[in-house]
Amino acid sequence: MIAILGATGTIGNALVRRLSALGLPVRALSREPGKLRERLSDLDLTSIEIHTADANDSAFMLSALQGAKQLFLALSNSPNQVALETSIIRTAVQAGIEHIVKISSPVYDPRSPVAVAGWHGEIELALAESGMSYTILRPYAFMQNLLRLTPTISAQDMFFGCIGDAPCNFIDCRDIADVAAAALTNPEVAGRIYTLTGARTFTYPEIAEQLSSLLGRPIRFIHLSPEQLRSDLIEHGHMPSWLADHVVEIQTMSTVIREQPTDTVERILGRAPRTLEAFLQEHAVHFQPRR
Ligand SMILES: NC(=O)c1ccc[n+]([C@@H]2O[C@H](COP(=O)([O-])OP(=O)(O)OC[C@H]3O[C@@H](n4cnc5c(N)ncnc54)[C@H](OP(=O)(O)O)[C@@H]3O)[C@@H](O)[C@H]2O)c1
């Protein structure tokens, strides 16, 4: 039995679908099982157990993990992510979980200037010290993040960032889920650390060009200073300050450390990663004008 924490999440949901398509028994976990059931309503749920699980409650988590042998762990970012994920790892040991596949980030140094990367570094250390076997997936930016740009693109034909024309790795979360499924089902893939990207990098001005030709209207990328972007995200995007800091830190990091693609997805899956062009085409409707 494979337990999936974060089954309503971007990667977790795709993973439930992948494992269920393979006919494997899955226990999908959520704080809101009703929401999860609705998200999976197009699937045959006979091989999927739906359980309530809240990482804030270890006793509850222990009963949700009992009987499972493997755990997929992708928790949304929050200032208490380290406390929550390290508590889940301790509970997983108690529950008899034998292998964890954890979603981390490409920068994972606990001393990193990107706070979230530092959190992942601390969690990776806790996993290494747990004595359990584990696989760590370090994906670069999700293509699905680009859907967060839809409000300003739809309303103003523009999107904002402080990343200039730095090359950026993007990966479709469905490819991350496919790699996670491989790590959960193939002992030759499990037990390692993988950095995951798409096949090539893109700059934000290149994404603007792609959107312009796809949507048939000019879409512009506007470069802001980190301070301007941060205050925009808080004032107009209504982001909490820690999340605005994260967006700014991660984009600033991309301007300092040049990103390069890896061939890990292709090596593990035996096929090329999904492309940004295909992702934008599939989601073009979300970028249409709403004025
Ligand atoms: N976005 C990126 O570009 C990027 C790049 C690299 C790494 N990452 C990492 O990817 C991870 C997020 O992955 P994702 O986007 O697939 O996840 P996500 O969509 O943010 O969802 C993660 C899930 O966490 C669950 N969750 C949150 N708090 C919980 C709690 N207290 N107890 C139990 N479940 C809880 C939520 O499920 P319920 O609400 O159903 O309970 C949610 O579905 C983060 O750690 C992030 O740092 C992101």
Side-chain angles (χ1 to χ4, degrees):
M1 175 64 75
I2 302 170
I4 300 180
L5 193 77
T8 57
T10 324
I11 307 168
N13 204 258
L15 180 60
V16 173
R17 289 166 187 280
R18 176 81 184 131
L19 294 175
S20 127
L22 293 171
L24 294 167
V26 163
R27 185 177 297 160
L29 309 175
S30 170
R31 290 165 298 178
E32 296 176 69
K35 177 176 84 176
L36 178 55
R37 204 173 290 280
E38 204 176 292
R39 289 235 176 126
L40 299 174
S41 58
D42 58 313
L43 294 185
D44 171 8
L45 294 179
T46 43
S47 66
I48 304 175
E49 283 180 21
I50 293 186
H51 269 243
T52 312
D54 188 336
N56 286 299
D57 184 333
S58 305
F60 212 19
M61 186 57 70
L62 183 61
S63 79
L65 296 182
Q66 294 285 4
K69 288 287 167 242
Q70 306 210 67
L71 171 65
F72 172 78
L73 176 56
L75 214 64
S76 21
N77 293 136
S78 75
N80 58 350
Q81 186 168 357
V82 176
L84 290 178
E85 288 201 35
T86 52
S87 152
I88 294 165
I89 292 165
R90 283 193 300 273
T91 307
V93 173
Q94 264 182 287
I97 295 282
E98 291 167 2
H99 186 87
I100 290 188
V101 175
K102 168 175 163 55
I103 297 298
S104 183
S105 71
V107 188
Y108 50 86
D109 189 328
R111 297 153 304 174
S112 166
V114 178
V116 172
W119 302 344
H120 279 302
E122 285 188 56
I123 301 161
E124 286 195 14
L125 281 177
L127 198 48
E129 285 165 4
S130 72
M132 209 180 324
S133 102
Y134 60 88
T135 305
I136 290 176
L137 305 183
R138 294 178 180 156
Y140 270 84
F142 302 170
M143 290 180 191
Q144 281 75 2
N145 293 352
L146 296 171
L147 298 174
R148 297 190 198 136
L149 304 175
T150 55
T152 60
I153 292 176
S154 300
Q156 301 166 262
D157 294 339
M158 51 179 90
F159 60 100
F160 304 88
C162 63
I163 194 165
D165 59 0
C168 217
N169 279 314
F170 286 94
I171 179 161
D172 190 313
C173 282
R174 292 167 290 189
D175 283 341
I176 307 173
D178 288 351
V179 172
L184 290 161
T185 55
N186 181 350
E188 284 180 20
V189 175
R192 299 186 199 179
I193 297 177
Y194 298 105
T195 300
L196 305 177
T197 71
R200 54 158 289 200
T201 56
F202 286 87
T203 66
Y204 275 44
E206 282 172 339
I207 294 172
E209 264 174 48
Q210 287 217 8
L211 283 169
S212 303
S213 76
L214 179 67
L215 302 172
R217 62 186 210 277
I219 305 294
R220 284 187 304 144
F221 165 63
I222 311 291
H223 176 78
L224 303 176
S225 70
E227 299 72 27
Q228 259 179 310
L229 179 65
R230 183 179 187 278
S231 65
D232 255 37
L233 292 173
I234 293 170
E235 277 169 43
H236 305 299
H238 308 292
M239 268 189 193
S241 57
W242 68 266
L243 187 54
D245 285 341
H246 177 54
V247 174
V248 168
E249 285 163 3
I250 209 96
Q251 293 199 13
T252 306
M253 174 77 95
S254 305
T255 67
V256 178
I257 299 175
R258 193 180 173 81
E259 296 186 7
Q260 283 182 328
T262 67
D263 62 356
T264 317
V265 169
E266 179 141 22
R267 275 194 292 113
I268 294 175
L269 300 179
R271 61 155 177 85
R274 291 168 170 88
T275 65
L276 187 69
E277 292 86 342
F279 178 85
L280 292 177
Q281 200 145 27
E282 185 183 347
H283 295 88
V285 65
H286 300 289
F287 297 98
Q288 294 304 351
R290 251 169 257 128
R291 293 171 193 144

